[in-house]
Amino acid sequence: MSSPADKETTKPSNFLRQIIEHDLAAGTYAGRRWAGRPGDATVQASGGPDPARIRTRFPPEPNGYLHIGHAKSICINFGLARDYGGVCHMRFDDTNPEKEDTEYVHSILDAVQWLGFGWEAHGTRHLFQASDYFDFMYRAAEYLIEAGHAYVDEQTAEAMRLARGDFGKPGVDSPFRTRTPAENLARFREMRDGQHEDGSMVLRAKIDMASPNINLRDPAIYRIRRATHHNTGDKWCIYPMYTFAHPIEDALEQITHSLCTLEFEDQRPFYDWLLERLSETTTLPDGRVVGGLLQSPPPRQYEFARLNLTYVITSKRKLAQLVYDGKVSGWDDPRMPTIVGLRRRGYTPEAIQLFAERIGVTKSDSWIDYSTLEGCLRETLDVTAPRAMAVLEPVKLVITNWAEVMESSGQAAAGHGAGFLDACSAPVHPHLPELGRRTFTFGKELWIERTDYEEVPPKGYNRLYPGNKVRLKYGHVIECTGAVKDAAGTVTEVHATLVPDTKSGTPGADAIKVKGVITWVGAADALPAEVRLYDRLFTDAQPDAGGKDFIESLNSDSLKVVTAYVEPSLAAAKPDDKFQFERHGYFVADRVDHVAGQKPVFNRVTGLRDSWGK
Ligand code: ATP
Ligand code: MG
């Protein structure tokens, strides 16, 4: 019997679960109110108790297609919300006006849904965009100025950089740091009203220029940037910095656990500083009490290790370079680690979710072996994928005694044996008899793999060579008699004779023992198909580590296209249908180019076994 404690140790480690379970037990967020939409303290206070026990969010910038690293983040954020009676918000972090595109917005929503997650809960669509909060962010900035926590700095960018100091050297206060709140407010409003040039001044938080954490040395929180924003158009010529915007987005949405990757660890003190300032109240010199803009308790940020996967690049910018330089056919090229690429390659949402769970969530950076991802895929496909036979590198096999054997066994009338087709069948799936059987024919001419014949067999070779017997899977036993070659010495036909009374599934079929079993398709009913044999995109396991130029390790053999012959059951394959081609691995009907029954195109998803180490 396994106790709950045993179960805990076999579960992949996920320290975030402990944090959430602690918060739930302690009731950290139990008193929160939720107005049914993002909003400041007043808005939220008008709502009832939050029906969500926790709130997480997935906040991509809509500046590219999501990749396997994002999939990890999606599975963590949506998965934890699902597991703990919470809600995960889908939020576009679109505060940077220059880089966004609605093409990316659609692809991101698609990817999240395809992975099996959604943002509808309690009758509400939790789909938000950060740019909707610009008004509040502006108000928060004015509050910080009034309360003496922010100032407008007119130093040049270069002077500001020098005054920031570095790891071993404290920063130096800006000459503009001592301006009065009234002066700062006037200046900030001029910035907003377009009275100053781009880059001529910034609003900075006033914290501590000597802080050991450089992120607390008066970070910039608003900048002037004349750019048309895809959502707010030309309404603003000042935009909040990411480090200022993100905590506010979380707080307005009542996020409880804000989960991000480790590179944001140094930002956490500012995250906390800002949200504390915006929740507290301040009594101004004139006696007015201001502030209390955000509800308490504030969200908390927790960092986890980003996913690094061997042989894979997870940077939108670098993936974009592969697309724009034509190194791949597009964002959905089956060799790309984008979600659209993985999907087209034949990956399933189940496999990706299993992968995310298996690698766990930790706080230390590490590299995950690509074979772990493929292993998850094999595991999920093996239990469901229909089987089929396919010959990827075909050479013809001629059964030279076919007519005689068929006629003498009475299966075909004298003189008609050569064209006789013997019906064979095989289970669609060896462990799912309810899926029924697939049928195909055996005849005088068949297709087999070119590598299944050797004139002079290497040691241990059990397949076709003169004098050797093998079983054609689901068919008959044959004995190889030789081969025909062309002038160049290339084998054009392999010849064999059929051993009578050996058909699979008939009494006595196993009387003759053979060591080799090979796959085949019948020349009479096999279908030609384009098969795309994909391999790893990079030859280097860490293509971009340490500033390496990843273009240099592109694998020039990452795609081989062959014309294969596949068994007739595949005529019914629809785009995205996945199969195990016996002996070869898993294949998917290409979702873009495959046309059922007319133009079969299959992608190799992965082989049957792990070949990454080899
Ligand atoms: P990229 O560097 O590829 O542009 P990003 O981090 O800038 O990625 P965002 O759109 O900002 O992309 O990311 C959305 C979320 O996905 C963030 O919370 C981010 O931390 C997370 N994320 C991105 N890459 C990874 C990764 N490799 N592993 C885990 N999470 C990731
Ligand atoms: Mg980013």
Side-chain angles (χ1 to χ4, degrees), residues 57-61 63 67 69-70 72-73 259-261 263-264 304-307 314-317:
R57 83 287 173 267
F58 174 62
E61 250 183 282
N63 62 352
H67 52 62
H70 295 111
K72 172 179 178 179
S73 178
L259 314 174
C260 62
T261 39
E263 64 268 27
F264 294 101
F304 61 88
R306 60 186 286 119
L307 171 68
T314 47
S315 149
K316 280 186 236 145
R317 183 180 57 78

Side-chain angles (χ1 to χ4, degrees), residues 329-348:
S329 65
W331 287 101
D332 69 346
D333 186 299
R335 290 164 295 184
M336 289 283 271
T338 49
I339 297 186
V340 282
L342 291 166
R343 180 180 182 182
R344 188 168 172 194
R345 177 70 170 264
Y347 273 81
T348 58

Side-chain angles (χ1 to χ4, degrees), residues 16 19-24 28-29 53-57 77 80 250 254-260 271 298-302:
L16 298 171
I19 291 168
I20 292 170
E21 284 164 17
H22 172 269
D23 281 335
L24 288 174
T28 314
Y29 295 101
R53 295 175 75 211
I54 60 166
R55 286 184 188 270
T56 56
R57 83 287 173 267
N77 282 294
L80 289 172
D250 286 345
Q254 293 280 291
I255 300 302
T256 55
H257 301 82
S258 178
L259 314 174
C260 62
Y271 185 103
R300 290 262 175 249
Q301 172 180 304
Y302 302 94

Side-chain angles (χ1 to χ4, degrees), residues 341-377:
L342 291 166
R343 180 180 182 182
R344 188 168 172 194
R345 177 70 170 264
Y347 273 81
T348 58
E350 296 74 28
I352 295 173
Q353 285 197 31
L354 178 63
F355 172 71
E357 200 172 301
R358 190 158 289 170
I359 60 177
V361 184
T362 66
K363 270 192 97 72
S364 54
D365 267 316
S366 66
W367 284 77
I368 304 288
D369 209 75
Y370 195 83
S371 60
T372 308
L373 177 60
E374 283 201 328
C376 293
L377 180 67

Side-chain angles (χ1 to χ4, degrees), residues 105-116:
V105 169
H106 292 298
S107 83
I108 289 169
L109 293 179
D110 236 36
V112 173
Q113 284 177 314
W114 178 74
L115 278 171

Side-chain angles (χ1 to χ4, degrees), residues 31-157:
R32 286 171 321 125
R33 308 184 81 74
W34 169 247
R37 62 191 158 93
D40 63 15
T42 315
V43 169
Q44 298 304 358
S46 74
D50 192 343
R53 295 175 75 211
I54 60 166
R55 286 184 188 270
T56 56
R57 83 287 173 267
F58 174 62
E61 250 183 282
N63 62 352
Y65 282 73
L66 299 185
H67 52 62
I68 185 71
H70 295 111
K72 172 179 178 179
S73 178
I74 291 168
C75 291
I76 290 173
N77 282 294
F78 283 93
L80 289 172
R82 175 197 60 204
D83 294 350
Y84 290 101
V87 174
C88 179
H89 295 191
M90 177 69 225
R91 179 202 306 155
F92 286 105
D93 208 328
D94 60 352
T95 52
N96 184 349
E98 280 122 348
K99 298 198 285 184
E100 279 98 36
D101 196 316
T102 45
E103 175 196 350
Y104 300 133
V105 169
H106 292 298
S107 83
I108 289 169
L109 293 179
D110 236 36
V112 173
Q113 284 177 314
W114 178 74
L115 278 171
F117 300 107
W119 40 85
E120 295 263 352
H122 311 122
T124 308
R125 247 171 116 223
H126 300 88
L127 172 59
F128 305 117
Q129 45 188 351
S131 55
D132 283 342
Y133 312 144
F134 280 159
D135 285 331
F136 179 86
M137 289 173 190
Y138 179 82
R139 208 174 113 215
E142 285 211 344
Y143 165 72
L144 291 179
I145 294 172
E146 278 202 285
H149 297 309
Y151 63 99
V152 172
D153 196 345
E154 297 179 35
Q155 294 183 97
T156 63

Side-chain angles (χ1 to χ4, degrees), residues 127-423:
L127 172 59
F128 305 117
Q129 45 188 351
S131 55
D132 283 342
Y133 312 144
F134 280 159
D135 285 331
F136 179 86
M137 289 173 190
Y138 179 82
R139 208 174 113 215
E142 285 211 344
Y143 165 72
L144 291 179
I145 294 172
E146 278 202 285
H149 297 309
Y151 63 99
V152 172
D153 196 345
E154 297 179 35
Q155 294 183 97
T156 63
E158 179 61 8
M160 239 180 275
R161 197 182 59 75
L162 288 174
R164 192 171 296 128
D166 56 34
F167 192 63
K169 195 172 94 194
V172 177
D173 284 2
S174 161
F176 298 93
R177 202 174 194 265
T178 50
R179 274 178 164 167
T180 64
E183 280 175 290
N184 282 315
L185 197 57
R187 263 294 194 257
F188 186 52
R189 288 178 177 170
E190 288 170 19
M191 281 170 62
R192 177 199 60 190
D193 296 339
Q195 295 177 30
H196 298 283
E197 292 298 305
D198 284 16
S200 60
M201 52 188 73
V202 293
L203 183 68
R204 297 177 78 174
K206 190 172 181 177
I207 310 178
D208 178 6
M209 287 305 290
S211 171
N213 182 338
I214 295 178
N215 297 294
L216 292 181
R217 295 184 188 171
D218 293 7
I221 58 180
Y222 254 100
R223 64 193 169 129
I224 308 173
R225 184 78 194 88
R226 286 172 176 76
T228 304
H229 188 279
H230 77 108
N231 180 30
T232 56
D234 292 323
K235 177 174 175 193
W236 298 95
C237 66
I238 55 171
Y239 288 95
M241 304 300 284
Y242 177 83
T243 48
F244 174 76
H246 202 84
I248 292 179
E249 295 158 24
D250 286 345
L252 291 174
E253 292 182 19
Q254 293 280 291
I255 300 302
T256 55
H257 301 82
S258 178
L259 314 174
C260 62
T261 39
L262 281 176
E263 64 268 27
F264 294 101
E265 195 166 15
D266 289 349
Q267 296 287 354
R268 185 169 10 108
F270 179 68
Y271 185 103
D272 292 338
W273 179 91
L274 180 65
L275 294 185
E276 270 170 49
R277 296 293 80 71
L278 295 179
S279 349
E280 71 196 6
T281 53
T282 305
T283 308
L284 298 182
D286 63 9
R288 274 188 303 139
V289 178
V290 292
L293 300 187
L294 293 173
Q295 205 183 211
S296 286
R300 290 262 175 249
Q301 172 180 304
Y302 302 94
E303 308 86 17
F304 61 88
R306 60 186 286 119
L307 171 68
N308 296 310
L309 195 58
T310 58
Y311 297 101
V312 163
I313 276 177
T314 47
S315 149
K316 280 186 236 145
R317 183 180 57 78
K318 291 175 186 166
L319 293 174
Q321 190 183 334
L322 294 174
V323 174
Y324 296 126
D325 291 353
K327 306 291 186 199
V328 293
S329 65
W331 287 101
D332 69 346
D333 186 299
R335 290 164 295 184
M336 289 283 271
T338 49
I339 297 186
V340 282
L342 291 166
R343 180 180 182 182
R344 188 168 172 194
R345 177 70 170 264
Y347 273 81
T348 58
E350 296 74 28
I352 295 173
Q353 285 197 31
L354 178 63
F355 172 71
E357 200 172 301
R358 190 158 289 170
I359 60 177
V361 184
T362 66
K363 270 192 97 72
S364 54
D365 267 316
S366 66
W367 284 77
I368 304 288
D369 209 75
Y370 195 83
S371 60
T372 308
L373 177 60
E374 283 201 328
C376 293
L377 180 67
R378 280 193 205 96
E379 265 178 62
T380 54
L381 286 186
D382 182 50
V383 292
T384 53
R387 277 32 175 183
M389 286 202 288
V391 174
L392 302 184
E393 200 190 345
V395 68
K396 190 159 274 182
L397 171 69
V398 180
I399 310 293
T400 52
N401 66 343
W402 181 248
E404 295 88 296
V405 175
M406 288 300 117
E407 287 165 17
S408 66
S409 68
Q411 298 210 53
H416 290 89
F420 180 76
L421 296 176
D422 183 27

